Amino acid sequence: MEHDGVDARLAARLSELRAERGLSLGELAELSGISRSTLSRAERAEISPTAALLNRLCVVYERTMSQLLSEVEAEPAQLVRAVDQAVWADDDTGFMRWSVSPPSAGMRGELVEGRLQPGADIAYDRPPVPGLEQHIWVLEGSLEVTVHGETHTLRTGDCLRYRLWGASRFRCPGETAVRYALAVVTP
């Protein structure tokens, strides 16, 4: 899937979600903590939203990032070939995200592949959905994950499972990129 096409569809979906809730840009800015100008630029696809920005919008719209990104897919399917998986990149932080699971609004679980470049550090102030269950399995490299105030260092083959209620942080401490699988289950 083309990176630019995803950004354009994401921008349109963000605009639709705000309209569906009857929110002005000012109201959404107040609820999300994101400036009106940044929200406006994201809805017009003038900027590609960062992971942190999308997370704040997901909180307001009560959906996971995977659910939001699956809503911008062209057509739902039971099978998504590797070459057709939606890829989203946050160039500012060195984060890339593949939607591995076929998109489906009716399913509670989804599988995501994440990659962080060396030194990448992403902090989320809260989960998009409180009580979200996550399983992180490191496929290559090293990943530091902070949840509930505790930092876990995961290496190739390690798996961490938790329910997310507060802030979290993902950091690539190594000299090489980290690649991991993330299973997300909504409550």
Side-chain angles (χ1 to χ4, degrees), residues 82-161:
V83 298
D84 297 324
Q85 292 170 358
V87 179
W88 179 77
D90 180 349
D91 296 330
D92 291 346
T93 61
F95 173 54
M96 289 189 72
R97 180 187 191 290
W98 282 258
S99 293
V100 177
S101 298
S104 176
M107 300 282 190
R108 290 183 29 228
E110 48 205 317
L111 189 58
V112 172
E113 179 181 338
R115 293 183 193 174
L116 289 174
Q117 295 304 311
D121 191 342
I122 303 172
Y124 300 102
D125 57 355
R126 56 191 157 188
V129 177
L132 196 64
E133 180 181 348
Q134 295 189 337
H135 304 248
I136 301 171
W137 180 29
V138 176
L139 303 171
E140 295 174 20
S142 179
L143 177 67
E144 282 183 4
V145 179
T146 303
V147 289
H148 307 176
E150 184 177 351
T151 300
H152 306 272
T153 301
L154 308 175
R155 292 180 178 77
T156 302
D158 293 347
C159 185
L160 174 67
R161 175 178 63 189

